[in-house]
Amino acid sequence: MASGTVTAFDLSEYAAARRALIEQALESYLKESSPRPLWESMRYSVLSGGKRFRALLCLATAEAVENSDVRQGPIERAMSCACAIEMVHAMSLIHDDLPCMDNDDLRRGKPTNHRVYGEALALLAGDGLLALANEILIRKTPSDVAAATILDLAAELSRATGPDGMVGGQVEDCIATGLMSAGKGSTNAGEDKLSLLESIHKKKTGALLRFSAWSGARLMEASQPVLNMLVRYGDILGIAFQIADDLLDTTGNIQTLGKTPGKDLASGKVTWVTVYGVEGARKALADMEEEGNDVLRQTGFRETAIAPLSALLGYAIHRSN
Ligand code: GRG
């Protein structure tokens, strides 16, 4: 992971160390079981690479919070949550790639899940991962985390994935692209393009990134003002991550991206780039990087805790895949 931020912080080294732990934990939660094809299909999508950006974000906010009342180290405390997030993310990619949605053949440089296992199993592998993510979060979070905290996390993860989060954002996206009807009495009719785009990005991509930024700190029992600031940081990062994705669809190539570029334009998708152009998208990203870093400075975290969070924001914006 190459950093594009202005800080001297070495994100590659930081991310590599944590990514190894994340892979190990994911493997332990996804031991092959019965029915075998289902587990194979679930493992195929979760253990097939990926930047682990959301898991890193969760661990980074846990590590940023100093709380002497908490016994375990932040990574140990937040790892099950970080893995649950990656499972939800993987399931959303499986469903997003299905013929009834984006109809993609390539993901992370490999054939998409339904291309390998067929549509029915891909759909069920996604469903299985969503359920397993919740089970892991609830059962594998260390037992001295308060039950109320775990309940809060489970509720917020469900919210991030549900109608007010990823599912809602995907439906809005499908309506905007003409893949679904807006239905009778549509509320989208008078909505301007910017609010529609912001709503889609905030829900479809932003909700899980916001949860990732909030959840690590919540597990460390951070104060409410700090949690509010991390939600703000997560919101900025979430929209920026999707704008960068829109840009990469226009400027990226298949080798680096590991998926087919140019699909947004071909499918008539409403994106930041189709509405504001490449320069408009770059300008929005520059503003968001500044705003996100301002929010981080307000948290009162020590410099060494701000550095990874700032670098992750920079990475989300300047990444090449
Ligand atoms: C969540 C219940 C539930 C259903 C899924 C299909 C769907 C509903 C939502 C779509 C969500 C989606 C695929 C958003 C796009 C997010 C995005 C920019 C993904 C790419 O993330 P990266 O770059 O991917 O982090 P890697 O491969 O690195 O993990």
Side-chain angles (χ1 to χ4, degrees):
M1 189 181 270
S3 167
T5 64
V6 288
T7 79
F9 179 78
D10 186 351
L11 183 61
S12 307
E13 197 181 307
Y14 171 94
R18 282 150 190 80
R19 214 184 274 124
L21 299 172
I22 295 164
E23 298 301 333
Q24 209 176 24
L26 282 171
E27 177 67 48
S28 77
Y29 294 140
L30 282 158
K31 290 244 174 304
E32 257 183 73
S33 186
S34 174
R36 210 180 169 90
L38 174 64
W39 285 87
E40 249 186 50
S41 166
M42 285 163 42
R43 285 173 57 84
Y44 179 80
S45 284
V46 179
L47 304 174
S48 62
K51 299 180 286 293
R52 307 299 185 210
F53 185 82
R54 294 154 187 79
L56 289 170
L57 193 55
C58 171
L59 298 183
T61 63
E63 288 184 87
V65 176
E66 289 178 78
N67 184 347
S68 53
D69 293 339
V70 168
R71 273 199 296 124
Q72 293 107 346
I75 293 187
E76 192 189 339
R77 205 164 162 100
M79 187 55 84
S80 52
C81 183
C83 290
I85 295 170
E86 284 298 320
M87 288 182 194
V88 169
H89 171 55
M91 76 75 49
S92 77
L93 298 180
I94 298 174
H95 283 196
D96 193 52
D97 290 335
L98 285 170
C100 60
M101 304 266 179
D102 275 3
N103 192 18
D104 268 307
D105 295 334
L106 205 61
R107 172 70 68 180
R108 295 174 172 167
K110 289 165 69 177
T112 44
N113 194 296
H114 66 273
R115 280 271 161 200
V116 179
Y117 297 96
E119 277 182 56
L121 195 50
L123 188 75
L124 291 165
D127 295 344
L129 282 171
L130 185 59
L132 185 64
N134 274 296
E135 186 186 339
I136 297 290
L137 177 65
I138 294 165
R139 294 254 187 252
K140 301 292 182 185
T141 295
S143 56
D144 62 340
V145 174
T149 303
I150 299 180
L151 207 58
D152 201 15
L153 285 159
E156 288 302 322
L157 181 58
S158 293
R159 189 175 168 79
T161 54
D164 286 328
M166 301 168 87
V167 175
Q170 180 74 354
V171 170
E172 284 179 2
D173 198 8
C174 288
I175 292 172
T177 314
L179 204 65
M180 278 176 200
S181 149
K184 276 192 201 149
S186 155
T187 51
N188 280 346
E191 207 169 8
D192 65 73
K193 280 186 175 170
L194 178 60
S195 1
L196 178 61
L197 262 178
E198 273 186 351
S199 174
I200 294 172
H201 286 9
K202 204 169 172 182
K203 293 176 187 166
K204 192 179 111 169
T205 304
L208 193 60
L209 285 159
R210 165 207 272 230
F211 176 80
S212 307
W214 169 85
S215 56
R218 179 71 182 91
L219 274 158
M220 295 299 287
E221 307 292 353
S223 69
Q224 195 55 52
V226 165
L227 290 173
N228 292 343
M229 282 178 232
L230 288 174
V231 163
R232 180 78 197 113
Y233 160 80
D235 278 344
I236 295 165
L237 193 151
I239 296 203
F241 195 94
Q242 183 59 54
I243 297 177
D245 217 66
D246 294 350
L247 256 178
L248 286 172
D249 185 74
T250 308
T251 59
N253 65 67
I254 194 163
Q255 281 78 22
T256 331
L257 282 182
K259 61 180 182 181
T260 321
K263 287 214 66 169
D264 292 346
L265 209 59
S267 63
K269 213 165 216 166
V270 188
T271 75
W272 217 277
V273 177
T274 59
V275 177
Y276 298 103
V278 168
E279 282 317 308
R282 287 196 175 129
K283 167 81 176 71
L285 285 174
D287 291 348
M288 284 176 194
E289 186 164 19
E290 204 177 311
E291 200 187 341
N293 279 316
D294 281 348
V295 173
L296 286 177
R297 279 190 282 275
Q298 288 162 29
T299 56
F301 289 154
R302 59 196 188 285
E303 267 307 309
T304 49
I306 290 180
L309 293 171
S310 170
L312 285 166
L313 173 66
Y315 173 77
I317 287 173
H318 302 286
R319 67 204 165 94
S320 58
N321 73 340

